[in-house]
Amino acid sequence: MNIKNNINNIRQQIPSTCKLIAVSKTHPVEKIQEAYDAGQRVFGENKVQELTPKYEALSKDIEWHMIGHMQSNKVKYIASFIHLIHSIDSISLLQEINKQALRVNRTISCLLQIHIAEEETKFGFSDNEVVDLLHSELLLKLNNVRIVGLMGMATFTENKEQIRKEFRGLKQLFDKLKSAKLPANAIMQELSMGMSSDYQIAIEEGSSMVRVGSAIFGERIYQ
Ligand SMILES: *Cc1c(COP(=O)(O)O)cnc(C)c1O
């Protein structure tokens, strides 16, 4: 795996308006450093216990994104430095993020994860739930979180048309919310969709952030 070539190759395929998040989960700091040396500054991790030591070890100009399902009791470990949390799937998580952000005197940007896949195992809100959340009284009180958009993961399938349909549906929800009247701490700016196997489709369907792991770092080995 030539990480530098992979990054350059992917960069050529995505528009400059789309942000490339290099998903470095399971890969050691040496590999992340290689990507960093190739100019990559934005990295995504899905586990707090893996993210914090990597944050400690690597350059402080890296922008760290949390992309995996989070337990509320872990928020405190990343509140001081996390750039964006993509995986908000409950109101209670948002409340805890607000509490921890307040403690470190920050405003933390978040994406609401929408369940667009067929698999039950994937996390996220339904369309109706997200509309309710964005209009809830509760959100108005969360002054230290800022909702900046939506995130979704398509079904794990070879069927490109199904993937496209799911991304298109998410983009439609995004556009609908973008033109709705939302509270001051919710702005629809970012649409995080697309991974190694489907980022081209996601870009065609309007993604503004792709989360690419194995196409940069190679296959993951879970121990
Ligand atoms: C692991 C992961 C990715 C990257 O997956 P690849 O198929 O390796 O590109 C993207 N998004 C989320 C939420 C992930 O957990």
Side-chain angles (χ1 to χ4, degrees):
M1 267 285 152
N2 185 321
I3 290 174
K4 185 176 181 192
N5 284 355
N6 293 345
I7 288 175
N8 289 336
N9 189 17
I10 294 165
R11 284 200 179 287
Q12 277 166 14
Q13 296 174 59
I14 65 178
S16 57
T17 49
C18 185
K19 192 175 232 183
L20 173 61
I21 298 161
V23 176
S24 48
K25 65 190 188 198
T26 76
H27 298 289
V29 290
E30 292 74 28
K31 299 283 171 195
I32 304 176
Q33 186 64 45
E34 240 180 279
Y36 181 93
D37 294 338
Q40 182 67 26
R41 292 292 180 274
V42 186
F43 293 90
E45 289 281 337
N46 72 338
K47 289 201 174 79
V48 169
Q49 63 268 35
E50 205 181 322
L51 173 52
T52 41
K54 286 176 175 175
Y55 164 74
E56 298 291 342
L58 289 152
S59 173
K60 294 297 168 286
D61 67 349
I62 289 178
E63 197 179 279
W64 289 102
H65 291 227
M66 179 66 196
I67 62 170
H69 174 67
M70 271 191 90
Q71 284 167 307
S72 293
N73 60 5
K74 302 275 173 65
V75 175
K76 56 178 176 287
Y77 302 112
I78 61 170
S80 65
F81 68 88
I82 199 74
H83 182 80
L84 177 64
I85 302 176
H86 292 232
S87 41
I88 305 301
D89 54 13
S90 72
I91 297 180
S92 57
L93 178 59
L94 211 49
Q95 284 177 290
E96 178 63 17
I97 292 169
N98 188 70
K99 182 175 149 192
Q100 297 301 332
L102 183 62
R103 190 178 57 89
V104 294
N105 195 23
R106 291 187 71 209
T107 300
I108 297 180
S109 295
C110 299
L111 303 178
L112 301 174
Q113 183 170 351
I114 311 298
H115 189 280
I116 58 171
E118 272 177 0
E119 296 113 323
E120 285 295 322
T121 49
K122 286 185 177 149
F123 293 98
F125 296 103
S126 69
D127 289 21
N128 288 337
E129 285 169 341
V130 90
V131 170
D132 287 350
L133 168 60
L134 286 168
H135 294 100
S136 71
E137 291 282 307
L138 201 140
L139 183 60
L140 292 172
K141 298 192 186 109
L142 304 181
N143 290 313
N144 291 69
V145 298
R146 186 183 298 120
I147 310 272
V148 297
L150 306 179
M151 183 272 239
M153 285 170 90
T155 302
F156 183 70
T157 173
E158 294 287 305
N159 185 343
K160 304 269 184 234
E161 280 320 301
Q162 180 174 352
I163 294 169
R164 186 179 296 283
K165 205 177 76 195
E166 291 172 359
F167 285 154
R168 190 166 290 177
L170 183 57
K171 176 66 159 63
Q172 277 165 1
L173 175 65
F174 178 80
D175 287 338
K176 181 178 122 181
L177 294 173
K178 205 181 163 101
S179 58
K181 187 168 161 32
L182 298 178
N185 58 349
I187 19 162
M188 288 294 136
Q189 238 166 5
E190 303 292 348
L191 184 56
S192 168
M193 57 185 197
M195 320 188 353
S196 292
S197 57
D198 56 21
Y199 68 86
Q200 285 102 340
I201 303 174
I203 288 164
E204 285 163 14
E205 297 303 329
S207 171
S208 74
M209 288 182 164
V210 290
R211 311 176 308 271
V212 180
S214 42
I216 294 175
F217 295 104
E219 288 308 311
R220 282 180 290 276
I221 300 159
Y222 290 94
Q223 2 229 316

